[in-house]
Structure formats: structure tokens, C-alpha cells
Amino acid sequence: MPAAHSAPLPRAAATYEAEAAQVVKGKVESNHAGHTGTGFVNFDAVSDAYVEFTVQAEQPGATKLDFRYANGTSVDRPLDVTVNGTQAANDLSFPGTGAWTTWKTASVTTPLAAGTNRIRVTTSGVDGPNLDSLIVTPQGPTDTEKPTAPKNLRKDKEPTTTSVSLAWDAAGDNVKVTGYDVYQHGQLMKQVDGSTLATTVTGLTPGTGYDWTVFARDAVPNVSDASNAVTIATLPAPPDGEAPSVPQGLRATGKTATSVDLAWTPSTDNVQVTGYDIYRDGAAAGTSETASTTVAGLKAATAYRFKVRAFDAKGNRSAFGAEISVTTAGSQAGGVPDPGTVKTLASGVDVAWGVAFLPDGSGIYTERNTFDVYRLTKSGQKTKLGKVPNSQTTGGEGGLMGVEVSPNFATDHYVYFLHTSSDGNRIARMKLENNALSGYKVLLDGMAKSRYHNGGRLRFGPDGKLYAGMGDAQNDSRAQDKNSLNGKILRINPDGSIPSDNPFGNAVWSIGHRNPQGLDFDSQGRLWQAEFGDNIMDEVNLIQRGGNYGWPNCQGTEGSCAGYIAPKKTWPVSSASPSGLTIINDHVFVATTRGQRVYRLRIDANSDLVEQKTYFEGTYDRLRTVEVDPDGDIWLTTSTDKDGTAGNDRILLIDIVYSNGMTPTPGKPQPTSITPTDNALTPDKPTRNDSTSRHTTPPPTTP
């Protein structure tokens, strides 16, 4: 059922322990039972002893202050209360509680300012009570009104080779704009306060165009819609006509039936070597940031010629180093899935965002910006099935995103979509019959949208539940809020209802995510997830029921990460931006946009990701989605130019090759009655990663 919309709820109370506040002429003790925290404050027997709490308020307004205390005497021990230096109560009564282990509250309601408030309680007689804590409860509804979008974002000062200066007009808010967030294509670059309307972003790459937007936020924080977008390029680097040195020592360090590992001695340059061109049989076969690469998509027992040259940031290229010849292996032991030959299934595609498969083996894919849904056969026949109603773009990462086919499609004909609408992101269901979509029904809504960070992946689990990745919609405070559906992995029943075993009584399965992307299950029924980081690192996570993955306090392994679940793999954001994830025989394949490559990692017996291989780096540009089909081959989609030009993307078919030459066992698992445990385990149940190539059926592996 769709999420209900209701009036704003009262804001939540917050507790501040007295022993953690500023204590003057008093001491922290813990000799009387029943206190909260680690102790309480025993005032000195003087008339000017005090405790001062520092309290944060989301917005201004009346607030109830409950002071928890004990007074084992029969005499009232009043305290004076001030807020930011202004008297809120004179001689507030703290009467006897009957015993020092009996705790009660004394209350006063007073206005607080938005932001930081100093609340001081001072002895007004000779002595005060034992003070345990302060409970702060805002009165009235939460401020749910977001600021208006900043307008007229523009170039301020002239750019330099490494900086861009921006200015914008002030946003408005019903309470107060407290800050502005400056983004570059979904990456938070800088934050300034609410009175600042211009800033300079440094540390950029020379001669590079950057896509800028600004968002306003208030104290809650509510975050505005995006400003207008502007593209501003840094100035070119100083003239540099010197090419890097020629790469030396090219050699093969490993090979399979479909790939060759190469390495060489790094080149040098007067400024910096930024990469290497890899050529195979005289034609460009990709690039590499480092002095090693894997060239995939090859044929077994075949000789190939390889050569490498270096380039710098100005496009100066060295001569090629010596060419070598390598013959691929004829066969390979074990069930390792290796990418073989590649062909184009469909061209003229516009941001093919989601891919799923029908029982007959044909694929369904969504176009994010056109909202069209297509059926595509393995022979390349394409049929338009219709549009998903109420879809809307965000001018960035939102639109028609994930697609998933019902495990019971043969009888119910359902196809599921995650898309952006006028009122936010939602999960919907339609029927597919006679090559046409119909019967649009919203299953879950109430997820905020933004230009970026909309998540979007869908995946049915072996438990028959539908899992979804939902981004924080550029408001990172949502990721730790269990009542928000943003910054989460979500889990619902196929009819949209909430499973009774979800950890928080709503659709939330795990929390603390920034912008979760690829989802898939391994041979033990455990959920793996890829996630866009901000400006430090991207990650792959093993998802647990109710798990907290740290955002915004922790990004990958950087920040305040104690107490959060650590990722199983991280990469620098420049080398990844992992959008798609699929698993074959407990080998995780990850497609990357900014990294323009596919990673493959094996899940080992300790549930770690090991033996990383990198395929197709710089070969097919930005890569969006990777999915294994019922035959065990991979469909790979592109997002060529940051998604700004219609119809310039492709869907590629990668032939996955195994050993043994046996008949495959294709097919997608049917749902079971087993429910994942706290570690999302459903042992002994097959998952889609049991799919194998039509060439071979590898032996089973145990992670």
C-alpha cells in the first residue's frame, strides 16, 4: 500500500545528561541508584552553583524543559533557569522526592532560538537538588517547509587552472536559511553558512568542465530544490609539449581463456603521467591509470599482439613500447566466470538504467530520461513496451530507474519499477501482457527526491521480498533517521505491504547509506550492495538486517566509523562510482560510471572480497548497469557522456566463459518461505548467481 500522508508530528525529545554539561561549584557523583547516564550533579551548598547545558534546537519556538532530579530532604531546593542569559524561571520549585534514590521532574516551558542555546540552572538558596538530566521537548509540529531554491547561480570571479568561483541569489525560508551546499555533479564540494552567497572551490583539475548546482538548507535540516545548473571549466594547464617516456618491459603476468594480464615499467613525465593507451592487434583496446591492466573479451587458445604508450594531462603521448605476443589459455579449471567476447545488442539507447529478465530469456530495460521500457532479445530485436506513468526527471540522477520482474511472472505478469514522480521517489507495479504495460499501481511512496542521490535499484530476494536502494536525496541527516525512507535499503512484500520481520516496523531494512546502487544475492542468500561515496571513497557492503553503515558520520573507512558496519571493499571515487552489481558463482561484478570499468571480486570463506580483477577500463566509457542473464552471460549498459545526450548509449552482451563444457542450469530462483536472519542469510537456497554460461556449468563454490 502507498505510504500514508498525515499532518506533521510533534518533534522528538532530546536528553542531555547533567554530568556531561558545564558544572560550576558542584561535583559529579553516582552513589545514589536510579540515575541515567554515568551519574548526576551534586551542587555545592552555595547560592551561585550552576549547571549549563548546550542545547540544539531545529527551529525557534516554545520548548518544554524537564529537569530530572532527586531531593531526599523535606525542604524545597529551588533553582533559577536562564536561556541564553534571559531568565526563564525564578525559583523553579524542586520539592522533596522522599529519598535520594527517588527521581522526579520539575518543568518549565520557554522559547528557544534556532540553533545553539545555553540553558543554565543556578542555586538560588543555600543548596540545590541532585540534578540528573535535562529532557528538551519542542512544542508544536516539525518544520517541514524546505527553503526555496537558490536562483541565478553564476560565475563570480574568473576561474583559474584549479579553482572555480560561484555566486548566487539568496534562498528564502519560513524560518531561516542556515547554509548552502555546493555540488559538482552529485559530489558535495563545499558548504557555507546562510549569510554567504559566493564561494570558491579549489583543488580542481585544469582544463576540465564542471557541472555546478547549489542547495539551501535550514536548521532541521530541510533541503531546497536545486538551483539552476551552470557549467564552468577551469583554465587549461600551462603549455606542455613534452611527452612522457616510452613504457618499457611490457610483459604478461597471467592469462585465462578470455583475458591477458599485462604489466610494464611506469613511464615518467615532466609534469605527470595520467594514463596509458592499451592496443591489441594494432587497435585501441582501452586505457589504464596504472602500469598494469587486464585485457578481456578474448578468444581461447588465440595469439594476440599487445603494445602500450603513455599520455599526460595535455594529451601528449609517448611512442609505443615494444610489442609482445601472448596466446590465451585453452581451458581453465574451476567455475570462475571470465568475460569473453563482447558484442552490441542495442545501440541508440538513452541511459539504459535498469535491466531485468523475463522467463523466456529476453531482457527488459528502462530508459531513465525518456521513461520508456523496452523488451530486447539476445538476437538484438527491440520492442517498446510503453512508458511508466507519472515519471519525472530531476535533471540529474532521478527519473525511471530500477526494474525487476516478478519471480511469479508466469502467473502474475508483474513488472516492478522504481522511479521519480512529482511528489518524490516511489516503487510501482505494472502488468506486462501482449508486449504492453498496463495497470500502474503505486506500492510505496514517501521517499524524498532531489537532483542527485535517488538510489534506484530493485532486486527480489530468495525470501520473495522486494529490496530497493534509496538515496538520501542530498539531505544526509535522513540516513540515520529510522523513520525516514531515504538513505536506506528498503524491503517490502510484492504487494507493497511491510514484512512483519522488518527491523523498525516500516520499509527500512538497513540505514546509514548515502546513495545505494547495485544489489544482488550470493549463494547463501546474503545481500551485497554497491554505494556511491562523496569525495573520498566508494564502497561495497554486505547488508545485515537493521545494520547501520555509517553515513554521514563515516564514508567508507574515513570519518567517525566506530560502531558502524565496515564496507567489504572500497575504491577512490575517481576509480569507481559503482552503479551496477551482479553476482555469478560468488564472484561479484561491479560496473562503474566515473571509473569506466568493470571490477570482479571473489567472495571468500571469510565473507571478504578478494582477487580483484579489472576489465574494460576506458573501453566503453561510463558503465551503468551489469546483470547476469538466465544463460549466465552479462548485459552491460553505458551512460556515455554524463547522460546529457539522447540516444548515444549501448547495451552490450559479454559472453561469460567457464570450464568443463557441460550443460548449464539457467533460470532465476523462485521465492521461498525462509526469512533472512540478522545477517540476511537464507542458507542452502539457490540464487540467480547459480546461473552459468551456456558453454559450461562450473562446480559450486562456498564463500
Side-chain angles (χ1 to χ4, degrees), residues 103-223:
W103 301 87
K104 295 185 178 181
T105 57
S107 303
V108 62
T109 298
T110 186
L112 295 188
T116 301
N117 294 265
R118 292 177 294 106
I119 299 174
R120 180 182 293 189
V121 287
T122 306
T123 53
S124 62
V126 177
D127 204 348
N130 286 346
L131 187 63
D132 181 41
S133 62
L134 168 62
I135 301 96
V136 179
T137 308
Q139 306 298 290
T142 303
D143 173 17
T144 59
E145 183 174 333
K146 63 187 178 184
T148 60
K151 296 185 181 301
N152 193 27
L153 179 62
R154 58 198 181 274
K155 179 178 71 175
D156 191 17
K157 303 171 186 176
E158 288 299 318
T160 70
T161 56
T162 59
S163 70
V164 165
S165 294
L166 301 163
W168 56 91
D169 295 345
D173 189 60
N174 63 315
V175 179
K176 182 181 179 181
V177 173
T178 59
Y180 294 95
D181 298 334
V182 180
Y183 276 83
Q184 194 288 120
H185 201 74
Q187 181 179 346
L188 179 63
M189 304 296 288
K190 197 168 185 179
Q191 292 182 308
V192 297
D193 63 41
S195 62
T196 300
L197 300 177
T199 193
T200 297
V201 181
T202 59
L204 305 178
T205 302
T208 303
Y210 289 94
D211 175 30
W212 301 100
T213 47
V214 174
F215 297 79
R217 50 186 159 79
D218 63 20
V220 175
N222 297 304
V223 178

